[in-house]
Amino acid sequence: MDNQPVRTDGWRWRKIFQYFLQGVLVTAPVVITGYLIFWFVTSIDNLIPIFEVRDSAGNIITRNYGLGFIAIIIGLIVLGYLSTNFITSRLFSLFDHWLERAPGVKFIYSSIKDFFEAFAGNKRKFNKAVAVSIYQEDVFQIGFVTDEDASEFGFQDYITVYIPLSYSFAGQTFLVPRSRVRPLEHIKAADAMKYVVSGGVAEPAHDTEGPPAKKG
């Protein structure tokens, strides 16, 4: 019997498809990251209409070419500097005090203020990553301690833990016994948050330095 020739058409198409997928894997993160940066800068840039032009349809559009974004960044830096000055900081504190007392505004303002301070302010909360057992003793979720003492709610030896959700900016808050919380001291809080939000895909960078040695 004559040997039948081996057809390589299917093999070639599979290799081409594999190369296509590899190209997508290499290109997609770069393109998506670049698009998100462009969208973010453009959205902020359009807040200050420095240069306005008319398109072919006669509509007025903003073309700042990044100048509005730079102006806003500089303005925020100046406000940050003024808020640390002794004289101007008193004015900021007075304005802050007024907003926190204004009816109908204080709830919105105080909630947004506490949210931002939890991430970047002096009252930063999301800086202590833990593994907490919520539903089963041998199943853990990664969260962040936001309050070391929940006794004001009537729970002695309980702490407040915030559990972020994967692929979402939402999360849940739990009051759990301190005994069911395991600190993750070898993992940075930012890496723990990235790990949870990515659904466990992003690998956290372990802190190789470890805790400082005790002086004997």
Side-chain angles (χ1 to χ4, degrees), residues 95-115:
F95 183 69
D96 178 77
H97 178 79
W98 179 80
L99 287 178
E100 289 186 342
R101 298 294 186 277
V105 178
K106 61 180 180 180
F107 175 76
I108 300 175
Y109 175 74
S110 60
S111 298
I112 296 176
K113 178 184 175 183
D114 291 340
F115 175 79

Side-chain angles (χ1 to χ4, degrees), residues 80-137:
Y81 169 76
L82 293 177
S83 66
T84 61
N85 184 275
F86 177 76
I87 297 177
T88 54
S89 64
R90 305 293 292 180
L91 297 177
F92 280 102
S93 298
L94 181 62
F95 183 69
D96 178 77
H97 178 79
W98 179 80
L99 287 178
E100 289 186 342
R101 298 294 186 277
V105 178
K106 61 180 180 180
F107 175 76
I108 300 175
Y109 175 74
S110 60
S111 298
I112 296 176
K113 178 184 175 183
D114 291 340
F115 175 79
F116 278 95
E117 286 189 344
F119 283 97
N122 296 327
K123 302 178 181 179
R124 194 165 40 180
K125 295 292 185 180
F126 299 97
N127 58 356
K128 186 176 181 180
V130 295
V132 55
S133 175
I134 301 293
Y135 302 106
Q136 300 181 24
E137 293 185 359

